[in-house]
Amino acid sequence: MKKMLGVTTALLFSLPVFAQSISGTVITLAGNAEIKADNDQAIVTFFIEEQDKDKAAAASRVNQKMKSGTELIKKEDPQALLSTRGYYTYPVYNDDVKVAAQPAKRQLIGWRSGQYLEVKTQNLKQLPTTTAAAQSLLALNGINFGLSDGAVAKLESERVAAGYKDFIEKLTMITHAMGKKPDDVVIESLDFDNAGTTVRPLAMAAPMLSRARVEASPVEVPSFEPGVSTLSIHIAGKLRLK
């Protein structure tokens, strides 16, 4: 019993010595947070592709349909931002024909032309109607919902505050565990990582279209769910105990 009391007394007297030994210690700490917000912007990519034995004929049909499709989109959504994202023309060959003792020959059978159009809009209520109207002339290549620059700017203070709150809560917890108070810590540096959400560019995959020209049928209005985006923040800090 006396031996146990002696050990306990020795530990109690050693605590102040331990507290003194960690003075000046450098601590690295990170705070992380995420906030979610409803998407308020859509980036839609349309395309048109034509094939013909005459290169000029294929290009002319692409130009005419894209012009008409662009005008239609502008009429449906005057505030949308439209950008051309690609235009191509390349030759089309038939399958290699192999003859015994002769090299394979490739025969030019036509030309393929196409063009992409990117539409950026915040008019999500009108988007299904705009898309259906455009699909009467153009093909839908992809759609991506996200946050507009204005929405991200409005949420910036909330994002930073959430990250700093997590940082301070962790600091309080760590100093308490070490027998210190937050006031016993000097923050030497803070690194605010501004990485949030970004809109990924849409991949322009090679479209697969029928070579036959057919009259476009009316397109039913699609249904879209914009969803939500997550804004994240990482705060790294360097601290020193007094």
Side-chain angles (χ1 to χ4, degrees):
M1 185 67 178
K2 290 183 179 180
K3 184 176 180 181
M4 292 181 62
L5 289 173
V7 172
T8 303
T9 303
L11 288 174
L12 289 173
F13 279 106
S14 68
L15 287 176
V17 176
F18 171 74
Q20 290 297 324
S21 67
I22 63 176
S23 296
T25 299
V26 175
I27 302 173
T28 56
L29 182 63
N32 300 279
E34 292 183 346
I35 59 174
K36 297 183 182 296
D38 293 333
N39 290 324
D40 69 333
Q41 177 178 276
I43 297 180
V44 190
T45 302
F46 297 98
F47 75 91
I48 185 66
E49 183 178 272
E50 291 287 338
Q51 182 172 320
D52 199 285
K53 292 182 179 180
D54 184 351
K55 180 169 63 173
S60 293
R61 290 203 300 270
V62 167
N63 296 344
Q64 187 275 323
K65 289 184 178 181
M66 182 57 73
K67 181 176 183 295
S68 298
T70 299
E71 292 174 349
L72 187 56
I73 292 171
K74 288 181 178 179
K75 179 181 178 181
E76 294 290 334
D77 189 354
Q79 303 302 317
L81 176 63
L82 278 60
S83 305
T84 298
R85 290 305 184 197
Y87 193 109
Y88 59 88
T89 299
Y90 60 86
V92 179
Y93 297 91
N94 66 349
D95 295 334
D96 294 347
V97 178
K98 294 184 179 181
V99 181
Q102 293 184 9
K105 295 182 179 180
R106 300 183 68 196
Q107 182 181 0
L108 178 67
I109 61 173
W111 295 85
R112 186 172 295 167
S113 293
Q115 185 175 356
Y116 287 89
L117 178 68
E118 181 185 276
V119 180
K120 182 184 292 186
T121 179
Q122 293 182 45
N123 192 349
L124 301 186
K125 184 177 181 180
Q126 176 67 18
L127 181 60
T129 303
T130 301
T131 301
Q135 285 180 297
S136 65
L137 293 170
L138 309 176
L140 177 63
N141 184 60
I143 183 168
N144 188 22
F145 292 95
L147 296 174
S148 64
D149 292 340
V152 172
K154 290 180 180 179
L155 294 167
E156 184 66 4
S157 60
E158 182 180 345
R159 184 178 73 93
V160 173
Y164 192 68
K165 178 183 178 182
D166 183 66
F167 181 87
I168 293 300
E169 288 177 349
K170 289 180 179 178
L171 172 60
T172 303
M173 178 180 63
I174 290 174
T175 53
H176 177 74
M178 298 177 71
K180 293 283 188 177
K181 299 178 181 179
D183 293 341
D184 297 326
V185 175
V186 177
I187 300 178
E188 294 189 345
S189 66
L190 282 177
D191 179 20
F192 288 77
D193 180 5
N194 293 320
T197 56
T198 57
V199 177
R200 293 186 297 274
L202 296 172
M204 295 184 179
M208 299 298 293
L209 298 180
S210 171
R211 296 183 182 182
R213 295 188 62 189
V214 297
E215 294 298 326
S217 301
V219 178
E220 293 295 328
V221 177
S223 298
F224 295 132
E225 296 296 334
V228 299
S229 287
T230 300
L231 292 170
S232 60
I233 187 170
H234 176 81
I235 303 176
K238 181 181 178 181
L239 312 95
R240 187 181 299 275
L241 291 177
K242 295 179 182 179

